[in-house]
């Protein structure tokens, strides 16, 4: 939604997202978006459990770096690794932290 219909939302929470889904299509969507847009009006919080597969956390960092490399003026990105948590156990604390972060300016 963020890259294909950016006008719908300005705040996003991606809790333990599957960056590998569909051959890492999220990276393609971001690249295509950047080729036709100079800005991304978004406040994003991405989290993972510290006990999840390390490649998931690496892919999260790669996507964040890719997005930051475009210097979108209105992009805010926060990420957090919830230490000691798994994919299923990080949900509650991830949601609570995300809501505090993405609605901080309200």
């Amino acid at each position: 939604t963020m890259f294909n219909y950016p006008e719908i939302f300005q705040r996003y929470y991606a809790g333990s997202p599957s960056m590998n889904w569909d051959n890492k299509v999220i990276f393609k969507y971001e690249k295509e978006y950047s080729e036709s847009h100079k800005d991304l009006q978004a406040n994003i919080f991405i989290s993972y459990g510290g006990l999840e597969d390390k490649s998931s956390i690496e892919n999260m960092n790669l996507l964040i770096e890719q997005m930051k490399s475009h210097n979108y003026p209105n992009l805010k990105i926060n990420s957090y690794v919830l230490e000691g948590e798994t994919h299923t156990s990080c949900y509650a604390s991830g949601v609570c932290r995300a809501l505090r972060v993405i609605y901080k300016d309200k």
Side-chain angles (χ1 to χ4, degrees):
T1 303
M2 181 169 45
F3 301 124
N4 295 309
Y5 303 98
E7 68 281 356
I8 295 177
F9 301 107
Q10 279 95 39
R11 290 179 174 85
Y12 298 88
Y13 170 50
S16 192
S18 177
M19 300 280 187
N20 292 326
W21 183 78
D22 197 11
N23 295 314
K24 300 182 182 182
V25 71
I26 191 73
F27 291 91
K28 175 184 166 234
Y29 289 158
E30 195 282 332
K31 182 180 183 300
E32 290 171 351
Y33 179 89
S34 72
E35 291 169 350
S36 60
H37 296 82
K38 298 285 185 212
D39 196 8
L40 178 58
Q41 179 97 23
N43 188 344
I44 307 161
F45 185 87
I46 305 172
S47 66
Y48 277 96
L51 299 176
E52 291 193 60
D53 182 85
K54 296 303 174 200
S55 69
S56 295
I57 295 170
E58 289 169 5
N59 283 329
M60 172 187 71
N61 290 326
L62 285 173
L63 182 63
I64 289 169
E65 290 308 311
Q66 181 174 321
M67 292 172 67
K68 285 182 176 180
S69 75
H70 302 298
N71 298 312
Y72 299 122
N74 290 297
L75 175 64
K76 296 177 189 171
I77 303 176
N78 288 281
S79 63
Y80 196 79
V81 176
L82 300 153
E83 295 303 330
E85 301 291 345
T86 66
H87 179 72
T88 53
S89 70
C90 69
Y91 177 75
S93 57
V95 168
C96 290
R97 186 174 296 273
L99 292 174
R100 283 195 312 263
V101 171
I102 64 176
Y103 287 98
K104 185 178 184 178
D105 60 338
K106 282 286 179 190

